[in-house]
Amino acid sequence: MQVLAGKRPGMDLPDAFCKVPVWQQARAFCAETHRDDSPLRGKVDNLWLEFDLASPLSDVPVFSAFFGSNEIASTADGDIARHLAWFTDRALPMLYGQGLTPAVQSRVLACVQALPPHARVFQTGAMLSRKPPFVRICISGIVPAQFPEYLAAIGWRGDRAQLQTWLAQLTPLVDVIFLDLDLSETVGDTVGLECYFEPRRAPAHEPRWFPFLDFLENKSLLTHNKRAGLLAYSGFVHERSESARDQWPPALLAASQLLGPNFYSSVLRGLNHIKIVLKPGHVEAKAYLYVEHYWLKPSDLKKSQAELATPKSSL
């Protein structure tokens, strides 16, 4: 977020990006989160940019922006509009470049207020790359058995039989399922079921990935070649690894030299989760990969490969 805000010395967006509205909006949003007097201060934890690759990216690509927060949940006093004014009146309008319509704002607030205790919207997406744009909310803290009741309460009109069937099959296979919804003036019929294992280790160190991938292949949601690609992607390297020594980014090597011999620049790659997307009459699966950089102490290399392959952040 510091780079997008223009606050990281020596690192900034290309000039061409700063002339495009969606990038200007993302920059303004990130800068706002750093202002001491901003209503967003302390409420936004991270920002992710999602690029659709169905066609080649343009020189200045358009993205959908997701931001994380622990503050988006129902309120005991019922005054959700006041509680989430920073969210609906400031955060989302900054990313969209315009305010939400009253109907969309009302729908978003109603879906948050209907959340059961302990549930929250952990990620919110301003889907700028989709036509027309909409708001995506990603919900944690609801057990799958509660999904149908919650969806009925917010007026979802999707295929309930399809949802129940997939929940019954997925629940025994994974540790956690999060719920994704698309909101405009109504609740979209499509739902996403984000499937996770905890901790989020690569398949080489989490054997439960393999029955899940078998299940997806049997459902014709995953090809053999794509499965091989997912498994090959995961890995752990550091700046002195023989396989990566000549390819390490110069900026990270320079930072490593400043830190001295007690830290290695290290990169972890893995499979974060798979989302099952339920659409009327259609189902698809999407894999979400992660890459994480961190500083490794030489003594850490004595740890097991499984421990090294476990992300340091919650991702």
Side-chain angles (χ1 to χ4, degrees):
M1 292 177 67
Q2 288 183 335
V3 174
L4 277 174
K7 296 184 177 296
R8 179 69 66 87
M11 300 179 70
D12 202 352
L13 297 173
D15 290 340
F17 284 44
C18 298
K19 298 176 183 178
V20 176
V22 292
W23 286 95
Q24 293 171 350
Q25 290 153 209
R27 164 154 287 191
F29 177 88
C30 291
E32 179 83 358
T33 65
H34 287 82
R35 282 181 41 221
D36 290 337
D37 60 345
S38 170
L40 274 59
R41 182 76 174 185
K43 292 184 171 65
V44 176
D45 301 324
N46 51 64
L47 181 76
W48 306 82
L49 303 183
E50 179 180 280
F51 299 91
D52 289 330
L53 298 178
S55 57
L57 291 176
S58 63
D59 291 338
V60 185
V62 176
F63 52 81
S64 292
F66 285 78
F67 64 91
S69 176
N70 286 313
E71 304 289 328
I72 307 172
S74 62
T75 57
D77 61 9
D79 193 359
I80 193 72
R82 179 182 61 83
H83 176 65
L84 290 184
W86 67 271
F87 175 60
T88 56
D89 300 347
R90 190 64 174 167
L92 285 172
M94 289 194 76
L95 286 175
Y96 279 104
Q98 60 184 4
L100 302 178
T101 67
V104 174
Q105 180 168 315
S106 177
R107 181 64 60 182
V108 171
L109 291 175
C111 289
V112 175
Q113 183 57 36
L115 290 173
H118 309 300
R120 64 185 177 92
V121 176
F122 72 98
Q123 289 283 324
T124 301
M127 307 303 289
L128 304 172
S129 64
R130 308 295 175 86
K131 301 297 181 184
F134 54 86
V135 178
R136 176 168 292 166
I137 59 173
C138 306
I139 302 168
S140 63
I142 305 181
V143 297
Q146 293 178 301
F147 287 2
E149 180 181 358
Y150 170 71
L151 290 170
I154 62 173
W156 180 68
R157 298 182 178 181
D159 189 334
R160 296 187 183 187
Q162 179 194 50
L163 175 66
Q164 294 277 23
T165 296
W166 280 91
L167 287 176
Q169 295 177 90
L170 292 171
T171 300
L173 290 172
V174 299
D175 287 338
V176 179
I177 301 177
F178 295 155
L179 178 66
D180 295 352
L181 297 173
D182 297 337
L183 308 179
S184 54
E185 294 184 359
T186 60
V187 180
D189 289 346
T190 297
V191 298
L193 304 176
E194 297 188 14
C195 300
Y196 295 85
F197 294 105
E198 296 292 356
R200 297 178 193 176
R201 292 173 177 161
H205 305 288
E206 177 48 80
R208 291 176 299 169
W209 270 114
F210 294 93
F212 185 35
L213 296 177
D214 290 342
F215 168 80
L216 296 176
E217 276 199 85
N218 291 335
K219 291 289 186 179
S220 300
L221 296 176
L222 177 66
T223 66
H224 181 74
N225 287 341
K226 287 186 176 180
R227 174 182 177 138
L230 291 177
L231 297 176
Y233 172 80
S234 299
F236 165 79
V237 293
H238 57 79
E239 63 182 276
R240 301 190 184 186
S241 300
E242 186 173 347
S243 61
R245 190 175 301 164
D246 297 332
Q247 304 175 28
W248 215 258
L252 291 178
L253 289 175
S256 181
Q257 290 176 353
L258 288 175
L259 290 173
N262 293 323
F263 294 94
Y264 295 169
S265 173
S266 308
V267 171
L268 176 65
R269 306 183 309 273
L271 179 54
N272 194 55
H273 68 280
I274 289 179
K275 180 168 69 174
I276 306 300
V277 183
L278 304 181
K279 301 179 179 181
H282 178 68
V283 180
E284 61 186 30
K286 297 181 178 181
Y288 289 77
L289 308 174
Y290 66 79
V291 58
E292 180 178 8
H293 176 267
Y294 58 95
W295 296 102
L296 183 76
K297 297 178 181 179
S299 59
D300 290 336
L301 292 176
K302 298 178 182 178
K303 296 178 179 178
S304 69
Q305 286 295 311
E307 189 173 357
L308 290 174
T310 302
K312 301 293 184 292
S313 72
S314 61
L315 298 172

